[in-house]
Amino acid sequence: MNLNISALDYIQEVKTGNISAEDFIAKTIERIQSVDDKLHAFLSVNDDAINQARVIDKKIKSGEKVGDCFGMPISVKDNMCIKDSKTTCASKMLENFIAPYDATVISKLKQQDAIFVGKVNMDEFAMGLTTEFSAYGPSKNPWNMECVPGGSSGGSAVSVSALECVASLGSDTGGSVRNPASFCSTVGYKPTYGLISRYGLISYANSIEQIGPLTRTVKDTAFMLNLISGIDPNDNTTMDNKNEDYLSGIESGIEGKKIGIVKEMMGEGIDPAVLTATKDAIAKLEGLGAVCEEISFDMVKYSVAAYYTITATEAGSNLARYDNIRYGYDFPLEGYEFNSYISKARRNFGPEVTRRMIIGGFVPSAGHAGKYFLKALKVKSKLTKEVNDAFKKFDFLISPTVPILPFKLGEKIDDPVSLFLVDINTVTANLTGKPAISIPFANSNGLPIGIQLMADSMNDKSLLQAAYALEQTVSLPEVPI
Amino acid sequence: MTMIGLEIHCQLTNLNSKLFCSCKANYREFEINENICPVCMGLPGSLPKLNQEAVKKATIIAMALNCTTPEKIAFFRKNYFYPDSPKNFQITQLNIYGDTSVGGTGSVMVGDKKIRITRIQLEEDPGRLIYEGSSSKNQITLVDYNRAGTPLVEIVTEPDFETPKEVRDFLNILSDILANLGVADPSLEGAMRADANVSIEGGKKVEIKNIGSFHDLEKAAHFEITRQKSHHSRDIEIIQETRHWDDKRKITISSRSKEEELDYRYFLEGDIPWVKIDPEIQKKLQTEMPESISSKKQRYVSKYNIPAQVSDVLSSDKYYSDLFEEAHTESNAKEVANIITTELMGLVDTREKRKASKFTSTHLRDLADAIQSGKVSRNSSKNALHEILKSGKDLSTVISELDLGNVSDESELSGFITQVISEEPQAVEQAKSNPQTINYLVGKVMQKTKGKADPVMTRDMLKKQIGV
């Protein structure tokens, strides 16, 4: 059985009776067992998956109504709550946290008969872009196991790329879906802020992050969006997308569309292979009838600094609840006074989370807020204005997803500042709330390169059309593992 | 000069649910940690879901206290670690980046004095700490989260009070206003709490916290003024600090925690979008607002000719004014007011008594009508009232069961009158020359009938028999 099929193909195969959900899930679990020792995409595997598949097969056979996923195996980043499952955020702080409720995206997919094959690895609390900051060890890039898979949704990208599932849910705070998607050659989507409910997604920087799918094809992403997007009474920041069908008209093409080439995202430090690939992508889009033109944003050079200031501030507050009193890990309370207990208990955070929380305690503090946090908010609003103005002229913006190629594990872990610069092309979409997608586009000596397209808020549908058009120009090798 | 300012917290007890989830706002009827959910427990991944009704109620309060009301409100996070706070931050409001709390500056009249309101904000109540264990060594702290997330308005005043008495009067008025608006029941335990800040002679401001009741607040303010005056007279510096009210010793104690140095790192709560309360919505809320206490009072005086003092008492207590509104008719209004203020008030003066009583506005209307038509005497009506409060039976049943009806049967009455005339020959003689004495004889008849004789009839029949 071929595990390397798209979500839409899987559904077709099961619908027509060519394969059963049980067989596919069983094969998927086998695949996980055979490759995940090396890749470490999974933090936990659902041992009830095969039973769930059987139930779905029975429904299909008896002619009962079956959900749109037909038992499709999906992996879920370990910062989303699945009822009665461990949800650790790849942190020792939540080692024993078993979620008592389903995230909205999870309950929506359950209704559609998706099967969650397991929870996947990430940087602790989604802070990082290599998955090396997982408290349970790093994931490896299936294209080159010496390299990082990107992050923070590294486990998601690895599991899709290495055929350990058909699709995955990640979360994107500053590029955390798109970055690993680019490094592992999958599609990665960050929707318009508010398109997908965050209820049940463990917050890192709640004002800018979104859940996003990682899939093999652009159509699969559109399919996933159809299932998980829309207004949610449990998340006041969600928007009504009027049950938009993102699949319909996805092949509309991009003739006559205007695309801005972001100068600051192709500048200093860019890998020559990435530059070549980006130029190639631009040429191909022009070949399809798009009009491409360079555009410059003054604020992009401050965007990463603003991003880290804002995310650290929000993280400092969002992660304050982890005092280990109501849930967490095994560390008895007796004999401690509150403050001494929490300062001891909170030592279980890893180094990157600790670093960001220390920054998060400082930058918004009285006496420093004006110099850091409030200034960062100013950058955010100026950047948003610049980008909004650009979208008056352009339909899309293009850039490489990441200016460099996947790098070796350990190579940048001790150099947080240079690591931060890897985010330069992705944070803009988060700071401005715009939708953005990473499309697998090229391969340089076995290392994947992704191209990023960005659109204006709530233009997710046309963005997927453009991404689909670009995807059709690409032919990529199969994953070597 | 003494300056006292207040920070009052009032729970919106009349709401169905908490501020950010569907758990009950009325947490008092639950077993410990039974009124909780992922949101109010601050579980990982949960998000606040704003109770729009709470925003409306808080805005109504702001309007009633003559506060400015912004067209858009926002919520902020106040970050601090405390065991009663499940998220270790509180979602509240803030006006330092522009007026974005439900209410801006306003005022309340206390007698002739205007007390200025600084702002009103909507926020969540934390959980409740329960201390167990006798000594500090084996003391453990338990947390009950049932209260966590209860909608709370914080009302902050300018330091406009000069005496503890003014503070007390203000709190009584405020509490009546909040009850009258139907947003809260301030008589519920812990529903309304206040902190005070006190300074004298333009000196440093001292905050007093942990005050259990309004009565204690008055005492705490007294103590603090005395303490500061004594320091001042001995040239001891008064330091800016937070002091806690020690309920047992009735003194304020410096709280050694460096609370005033806390940096709350306020920033916008991104999980709750700004809420629009445009002029149209505000207008609609205005029309939904119940009649104010002062307007009720005026109406009682002008429409029903009820004395100002009685109207004042009647209008300021929602329980009584609701009873009045439901029971009165054009003709019996004065009598209804009279029964409430002279009889009922002494009987149902606490929340518990009100809850236990089976008295309804129908009882009240029947009673007033019966008195006016002479069916029962005012005297007997008291007995009837007691019985109704206890049993809830309707008035006619009570009258017949307790035999409270007036003796207005001529033959029955004449028997008593004949008896009195024969027993009181002297008084009868006097009555012939001094009509005042008739009253004495009427009283005697009343005694014999246990107050049930129809007084008008008795007088008339006595006069006729004596021949005056």
Side-chain angles (χ1 to χ4, degrees):
Chain A
M1 183 178 293
N2 182 15
L3 290 175
N4 193 6
I5 55 174
S6 71
L8 293 181
D9 286 346
Y10 165 84
I11 290 159
Q12 204 49 42
E13 292 286 283
V14 177
K15 256 188 187 169
T16 53
N18 287 341
I19 56 172
S20 70
E22 182 184 345
D23 285 351
F24 198 85
I25 291 286
K27 275 276 176 314
T28 301
I29 301 281
E30 260 173 50
R31 172 75 177 173
I32 294 169
Q33 281 162 353
S34 76
V35 300
D36 214 56
D37 276 358
K38 289 162 255 169
L39 297 173
H40 195 228
F42 284 80
L43 293 177
S44 57
V45 175
N46 176 7
D47 49 22
D48 192 42
I50 290 178
N51 285 330
Q52 291 169 12
R54 271 184 205 136
V55 172
I56 289 160
D57 282 334
K58 224 183 236 168
K59 280 211 265 184
I60 297 170
K61 271 205 189 107
S62 68
E64 259 181 80
K65 199 177 179 306
V66 186
D68 287 351
C69 289
F70 288 87
M72 182 172 101
I74 292 177
S75 74
V76 178
K77 191 178 184 179
D78 208 17
N79 61 351
M80 282 169 244
C81 292
I82 300 182
K83 192 168 191 274
D84 300 329
S85 304
K86 239 183 208 187
T87 300
T88 68
C89 273
S91 177
K92 292 283 180 196
M93 274 314 288
L94 290 178
E95 201 171 16
N96 296 332
F97 175 63
I98 293 172
Y101 71 103
D102 278 329
T104 299
V105 288
I106 298 300
S107 54
K108 282 186 168 184
L109 288 173
K110 273 185 180 173
Q111 273 168 23
Q112 297 299 339
D113 284 324
I115 291 177
F116 303 112
V117 279
K119 301 298 280 293
V120 284
N121 205 8
M122 55 188 282
D123 288 291
E124 185 177 0
F125 281 100
M127 298 178 196
L129 30 105
T130 64
T131 319
E132 289 169 291
F133 290 121
S134 165
Y136 304 102
S139 299
K140 311 278 174 61
N141 193 319
W143 295 84
N144 180 337
M145 303 235 276
E146 287 178 5
C147 288
V148 298
S152 65
S153 310
S156 290
V158 173
S159 61
V160 172
S161 158
L163 316 180
E164 297 173 284
C165 60
V166 171
S168 184
L169 291 181
S171 68
D172 191 313
T173 309
S176 280
V177 162
R178 290 161 287 155
N179 170 297
S182 170
F183 276 15
C184 293
S185 200
T186 77
V187 176
Y189 196 70
K190 199 293 279 185
T192 299
Y193 186 78
L195 194 69
I196 297 177
S197 168
R198 289 179 293 111
Y199 187 74
L201 166 71
I202 297 180
S203 292
Y204 153 30
N206 51 302
S207 76
I208 59 171
E209 65 202 2
Q210 277 286 290
I211 289 172
L214 293 94
T215 60
R216 299 214 172 94
T217 68
V218 174
K219 275 189 177 175
D220 284 1
T221 287
F223 168 72
M224 292 289 282
L225 268 192
N226 281 352
L227 303 183
I228 62 175
S229 62
I231 198 157
D232 175 15
N234 286 324
D235 177 355
N236 285 175
T237 65
T238 49
M239 291 189 278
D240 187 3
N241 67 341
K242 306 201 167 64
N243 291 319
E244 181 72 87
D245 180 355
Y246 296 95
L247 265 175
S248 82
I250 197 164
E251 297 176 11
S252 302
I254 51 158
E255 189 157 2
K257 300 285 184 193
K258 284 191 169 158
I259 302 177
I261 305 158
V262 186
K263 188 180 158 209
E264 288 76 14
M265 296 183 181
M266 292 173 66
E268 212 180 320
I270 191 167
D271 186 284
V274 175
L275 186 63
T276 308
T278 312
K279 284 181 174 161
D280 187 20
I282 292 163
K284 283 193 164 140
L285 288 167
E286 282 173 334
L288 293 168
V291 182
C292 300
E293 197 183 296
E294 195 177 80
I295 178 164
S296 174
F297 295 112
D298 284 347
M299 283 298 127
V300 165
K301 59 178 172 290
Y302 306 117
S303 63
V304 174
Y307 166 79
Y308 278 95
T309 306
I310 291 166
T311 54
T313 298
E314 294 188 6
S317 173
N318 285 325
L319 272 61
R321 70 188 64 191
Y322 305 115
D323 52 24
N324 211 44
I325 285 172
R326 293 160 297 275
Y327 49 82
Y329 66 99
D330 195 17
F331 180 34
L333 290 139
E334 281 77 23
Y336 287 97
E337 170 275 326
F338 178 69
N339 284 311
S340 60
Y341 179 78
I342 59 166
S343 63
K344 271 223 166 67
R346 283 166 66 80
R347 282 177 206 172
N348 239 15
F349 282 122
E352 183 63 15
V353 174
T354 304
R355 178 156 45 225
R356 295 198 198 186
M357 280 196 300
I358 289 170
I359 297 170
F362 176 74
V363 290
S365 61
H368 300 106
K371 209 167 157 192
Y372 300 102
F373 181 58
L374 298 178
K375 201 169 264 183
L377 289 180
K378 247 179 224 166
V379 171
K380 182 176 185 251
S381 78
K382 280 192 163 177
L383 178 67
T384 305
K385 196 185 171 298
E386 277 189 342
V387 172
N388 283 342
D389 286 346
F391 281 124
K392 283 176 193 155
K393 187 172 173 196
F394 296 106
D395 297 294
F396 309 108
L397 299 175
I398 190 171
S399 71
T401 308
V402 188
I404 57 171
L405 293 167
F407 44 87
K408 297 262 162 63
L409 277 117
E411 193 182 312
K412 290 182 193 286
I413 198 163
D414 293 325
D415 187 3
V417 174
S418 96
L419 209 47
F420 289 174
L421 286 169
V422 180
D423 291 326
I424 183 95
N425 291 2
T426 45
V427 295
T428 293
N430 302 86
L431 289 173
T432 59
K434 308 296 178 195
I437 187 168
S438 178
I439 307 132
F441 185 77
N443 195 290
S444 168
N445 299 319
L447 292 175
I449 296 169
I451 294 296
Q452 173 177 259
L453 287 172
M454 207 190 306
D456 203 358
S457 299
M458 295 311 267
N459 284 355
D460 297 74
K461 187 168 174 160
S462 68
L463 176 60
L464 288 165
Q465 290 167 1
Y468 177 80
L470 181 61
E471 184 189 41
Q472 301 321 300
T473 69
V474 175
S475 167
L476 291 167
E478 288 215 356
V479 68
I481 185 167
Chain B
M1 192 169 106
T2 302
M3 283 163 79
I4 307 170
L6 296 177
E7 250 179 49
I8 302 116
H9 288 98
C10 183
Q11 293 174 343
L12 301 178
T13 56
N14 292 1
L15 285 169
N16 285 326
S17 48
K18 289 184 178 180
L19 190 49
F20 301 119
C21 63
S22 310
C23 291
K24 296 283 172 233
N26 180 9
Y27 56 87
R28 292 172 176 82
E29 284 161 18
F30 287 87
E31 294 296 312
I32 283 180
N33 287 325
E34 288 287 324
N35 184 36
I36 57 172
C37 76
V39 176
C40 58
M41 281 293 280
L43 288 191
S46 66
L47 296 173
K49 175 174 64 171
L50 180 63
N51 180 345
Q52 298 289 343
E53 208 49 37
V55 175
K56 280 191 195 165
K57 296 276 190 267
T59 305
I60 283 176
I61 293 175
M63 289 170 167
L65 303 186
N66 311 302
C67 294
T68 57
T69 45
E71 293 191 17
K72 268 163 77 185
I73 63 161
F75 288 87
F76 284 78
R77 286 188 187 180
K78 180 179 183 179
N79 295 287
Y80 63 99
F81 284 90
Y82 206 70
D84 63 7
S85 165
K87 303 184 294 292
N88 284 319
F89 63 77
Q90 181 196 34
I91 302 178
T92 179
Q93 298 193 290
L94 189 72
N95 284 349
I96 59 170
Y97 302 115
D99 283 356
T100 57
S101 76
V102 288
T105 54
S107 63
V108 175
M109 292 305 291
V110 178
D112 294 333
K113 185 164 179 170
K114 188 191 239 180
I115 301 298
R116 291 169 298 158
I117 306 289
T118 314
R119 67 171 181 277
I120 299 179
Q121 60 201 47
L122 180 59
E123 59 187 33
E124 53 180 339
D125 216 354
R128 208 168 51 89
L129 298 183
I130 303 161
Y131 300 98
E132 277 187 6
S134 45
S135 71
S136 64
K137 260 187 193 160
N138 63 12
Q139 190 176 65
I140 54 167
T141 309
L142 301 170
V143 196
D144 176 8
Y145 293 101
N146 284 351
R147 191 179 74 178
T150 302
L152 205 62
V153 282
E154 181 179 279
I155 300 166
V156 183
T157 78
E158 293 292 314
D160 287 348
F161 305 96
E162 287 164 86
T163 64
K165 169 79 169 58
E166 281 180 3
V167 168
R168 183 86 183 269
D169 290 345
F170 168 82
L171 288 172
N172 286 335
I173 288 171
L174 181 64
S175 144
D176 288 341
I177 290 174
L178 294 173
N180 183 61
L181 288 172
V183 296
D185 181 351
S187 69
L188 275 170
E189 153 94 51
M192 200 168 163
R193 290 119 49 189
D195 298 332
N197 56 71
V198 177
S199 65
I200 59 158
E201 313 300 336
K204 295 265 170 62
K205 196 169 81 174
V206 175
E207 263 189 273
I208 319 168
K209 293 196 161 176
N210 192 38
I211 309 169
S213 67
F214 293 171
H215 184 67
D216 277 354
L217 179 63
E218 200 179 353
K219 276 197 210 157
H222 257 304
F223 176 88
E224 187 54 28
I225 293 164
T226 314
R227 186 188 72 87
Q228 290 187 20
K229 279 187 176 158
S230 122
H231 270 47
H232 189 72
S233 67
R234 287 181 287 153
D235 277 338
I236 301 171
E237 193 195 356
I238 296 160
I239 53 169
Q240 184 161 344
E241 62 176 341
T242 300
R243 297 176 72 85
H244 279 235
W245 173 244
D246 184 329
D247 189 38
K248 287 198 187 95
R249 292 193 283 165
K250 306 289 175 203
I251 58 170
T252 66
I253 305 164
S254 179
S255 44
R256 261 152 287 163
S257 76
K258 296 177 180 169
E259 223 160 315
E260 49 273 46
E261 287 171 34
L262 266 185
D263 175 1
Y264 293 118
R265 294 181 285 122
Y266 285 102
F267 67 88
L268 205 62
E269 170 55 277
D271 288 335
I272 304 170
W274 291 63
V275 185
K276 222 168 88 178
I277 314 175
D278 59 31
E280 209 162 295
I281 298 170
Q282 293 190 20
K283 222 169 157 188
K284 200 165 161 277
L285 288 175
Q286 286 278 13
T287 62
E288 284 170 20
M289 250 164 93
E291 186 184 9
S292 74
I293 292 173
S294 58
S295 149
K296 272 186 198 170
K297 182 186 161 186
Q298 222 170 17
R299 183 161 56 87
Y300 296 165
V301 172
S302 61
K303 195 165 172 197
Y304 307 113
N305 213 12
I306 297 169
Q309 242 177 324
V310 175
S311 295
D312 198 16
V313 178
L314 199 59
S315 59
S316 58
D317 187 309
K318 184 173 163 56
Y319 177 76
Y320 297 130
S321 71
D322 282 353
L323 270 179
F324 175 80
E325 298 292 349
E326 286 163 28
H328 85 276
T329 59
E330 292 291 320
S331 56
N332 71 3
K334 251 180 136 166
E335 191 59 52
V336 169
N338 188 41
I339 297 171
I340 294 174
T341 50
T342 58
E343 302 300 331
L344 198 60
M345 274 188 177
L347 300 172
V348 285
D349 53 346
T350 66
R351 189 192 151 67
E352 290 68 34
K353 287 184 199 166
R354 287 174 185 186
K355 228 181 154 183
S357 99
K358 302 212 164 90
F359 188 75
T360 67
S361 55
T362 313
H363 289 127
L364 182 55
R365 175 185 298 146
D366 292 348
L367 201 56
D369 289 347
I371 292 170
Q372 277 194 331
S373 67
K375 248 204 238 101
V376 286
S377 67
R378 196 153 276 145
N379 236 340
S380 307
S381 76
K382 288 178 198 174
N383 296 334
L385 194 56
H386 276 278
E387 181 56 28
I388 290 168
L389 285 175
K390 256 193 295 183
S391 69
K393 288 176 184 164
D394 62 45
L395 181 65
S396 55
T397 314
V398 170
I399 288 174
S400 70
E401 278 183 12
L402 297 186
D403 192 19
L404 295 172
N406 269 357
V407 178
S408 50
D409 181 67
E410 215 165 307
S411 62
E412 203 185 339
L413 207 51
S414 71
F416 288 112
I417 288 169
T418 315
Q419 230 182 321
V420 169
I421 288 175
S422 69
E423 281 169 18
E424 303 278 348
Q426 240 183 324
V428 170
E429 270 317 299
Q430 269 184 38
K432 286 177 182 164
S433 53
N434 179 6
Q436 288 295 322
T437 318
I438 293 283
N439 289 340
Y440 171 77
L441 292 169
V442 170
K444 283 289 164 189
V445 175
M446 282 294 174
Q447 264 178 16
K448 289 217 179 292
T449 57
K450 297 189 180 107
K452 294 190 296 177
D454 185 316
V456 182
M457 253 175 105
T458 308
R459 177 179 300 269
D460 288 351
M461 286 171 72
L462 267 170
K463 279 183 174 170
K464 214 171 157 190
Q465 287 219 19
I466 297 165
V468 291

